[in-house]
Amino acid sequence: MTTRYLALLLLGLALVPAVAGPVSVRDGQFIGPDGEPVILRGLNVSQSAKRAPYLPWQTRDEFQQ
């Protein structure tokens, strides 16, 4: 089972385009080396979410924003 997850993770990483080069900020946006806006996806949780029972302090409404 773990091998399947690892394989899926590696496949996902191979399919995600990466930004090759430095990222800067212009007019409040992250800009890649090609001059195009860079859209960062994901979210970061901290504090109690990193310990069991791994529940973030944020609510569903906050994640939807």
Side-chain angles (χ1 to χ4, degrees):
M1 191 74 137
T2 303
T3 306
R4 288 183 190 172
Y5 289 124
L6 180 59
L8 284 172
L9 174 66
L10 293 175
L11 177 63
L13 290 174
L15 296 176
V16 174
V19 175
V23 175
S24 60
V25 176
R26 182 179 68 215
D27 298 326
Q29 288 187 321
F30 291 113
I31 304 297
D34 59 357
E36 294 294 319
V38 174
I39 299 173
L40 304 175
R41 297 180 292 181
L43 83 116
N44 184 21
V45 294
S46 63
Q47 299 167 341
S48 63
K50 293 184 180 181
R51 294 185 303 273
Y54 307 106
L55 298 173
W57 53 267
Q58 296 91 346
T59 65
R60 284 184 186 264
D61 293 334
E62 290 170 309
F63 284 115
Q64 288 176 346
Q65 290 178 357

